[in-house]
Amino acid sequence: MTIEYPSRSDTPRSHLPFSPATRVGDLIFVSGQASVDLTGKIVSDTFEGEMRRSIENLRKVLEDANSDLSHVVQTRNYVRDSEDVIEFNRIYREYFSAPFPARTTITNCLGPNLRYEIDCVAVVRKD
């Protein structure tokens, strides 16, 4: 089976040693997406701003791999401050709908520069 690393020049990148996504067959494994610009520079914001930017980065990486948010089967979410969990759940429902993907949420994590990060497993869209 072939392993691919789909990305385009306008895919958000990190200076750290990982690929934005890895595709194996019809499965896409997306690395953690945070509130960063195209060069991987952290864009600090409110929790809501960082979460929305992170999910928009996730959306872009999925598009590059011929998928989208409706084809996500699992998410892992990292919320730095537990007091943001109520807002996290409210915003999450705007991007993912029932039946929701399988989900893990870890709180009280991440360093001081990030409020939120998300990674996922998705399937390729069958157009």
Side-chain angles (χ1 to χ4, degrees):
M1 186 167 288
T2 304
I3 299 173
E4 300 173 47
Y5 303 92
S7 70
R8 297 186 183 138
S9 61
D10 60 344
T11 300
R13 297 234 172 250
S14 174
H15 63 281
L16 300 173
F18 64 85
S19 297
T22 303
R23 178 176 167 180
V24 180
D26 287 341
L27 291 177
I28 303 161
F29 302 87
V30 179
S31 295
Q33 298 299 306
S35 180
V36 299
D37 64 16
L38 291 178
T39 67
K41 181 181 178 207
I42 294 172
V43 179
S44 296
D45 202 343
T46 62
F47 176 80
E48 179 174 359
E50 288 195 22
M51 183 173 175
R52 290 188 187 282
R53 186 171 293 103
S54 299
I55 294 176
E56 290 304 322
N57 286 342
L58 179 73
R59 183 190 313 265
K60 176 63 183 136
V61 172
L62 287 168
E63 287 173 5
D64 292 350
N66 196 30
S67 191
D68 55 43
L69 294 176
S70 69
H71 286 77
V72 171
V73 297
Q74 180 185 33
T75 66
R76 283 179 292 272
N77 301 268
Y78 308 89
V79 178
R80 183 182 73 191
D81 303 314
S82 60
E83 60 265 16
D84 290 324
V85 169
I86 292 172
E87 187 173 18
F88 159 71
N89 282 311
R90 178 186 62 78
I91 297 166
Y92 189 89
R93 284 184 178 95
E94 294 178 28
Y95 290 94
F96 301 98
S97 56
F100 295 99
R103 182 178 102 174
T104 299
T105 304
I106 301 168
T107 62
N108 299 317
C109 59
L110 299 175
N113 297 329
L114 289 177
R115 297 174 185 268
Y116 178 77
E117 186 171 344
I118 183 171
D119 64 58
C120 78
V121 178
V123 294
V124 174
R125 242 185 354 246
K126 299 293 185 190
D127 296 328

